[in-house]
Amino acid sequence: MPTEEVIGAIAAVLTTSSFLPQAIKVLRTRDTEAISLTMYVLFTAGVTLWGIYGLMTWQWSIIIANGVTIVLAATILTMKVAAKLAAGRKPRGAGGN
Amino acid sequence: MPTEEVIGAIAAVLTTSSFLPQAIKVLRTRDTEAISLTMYVLFTAGVTLWGIYGLMTWQWSIIIANGVTIVLAATILTMKVAAKLAAGRKPRGAGGN
């Protein structure tokens, strides 16, 4: 394997695996207050396009990295949207805290 | 420009720009509670290696995307570490809230 492919593989493992602790943290704590909705909307769209770019240029490190990242980023995005929707419902609720 | 390079460029703009609203949010609110320290340690290391991969394979969309992302991710990481350090100092303080 050429050196650049080894570096690409390590980069892929790092950037992809990085979203796992964030997804776990969000799923565990249900706290998404400090997380930017705009970031995860743009990021999920972006990694989807990176995945397509990887498929078109057939670079396996890009394909694998972005495939897994899409799932993790979409999980965080879903939790953020759910929290936003829940917060939006609160003022209409019967005085819940 | 080949189609895959156009897609790579849009992907680069999306994933790179996505970290801007998160960096702004963190700088403005100083709230990093829901943000995973592990994520930003791994992610900053990963995008640095992606930048090196881009330089070695001379793919401009990867070089530009990761160059900007390193700065934004490092900003969020710095704010998270600063908040952690500040929180760690609190219990030794003179009864501050």
Side-chain angles (χ1 to χ4, degrees), chain A residues 51-69:
Chain A
I52 294 167
Y53 174 84
L55 283 169
M56 289 177 84
T57 57
W58 206 246
Q59 295 176 82
W60 70 267
S61 53
I62 293 178
I63 298 166
I64 297 170
N66 289 284
V68 180
T69 310

Side-chain angles (χ1 to χ4, degrees), chain A residues 14-46:
Chain A
L14 284 172
T15 51
T16 300
S17 64
S18 72
F19 283 86
L20 189 63
Q22 181 69 78
I24 291 169
K25 187 180 169 81
V26 162
L27 286 169
R28 207 184 56 227
T29 65
R30 308 274 149 170
D31 177 18
T32 58
E33 190 62 34
I35 285 170
S36 164
L37 174 64
T38 315
M39 169 182 165
Y40 280 92
V41 168
L42 296 175
F43 189 78
T44 307

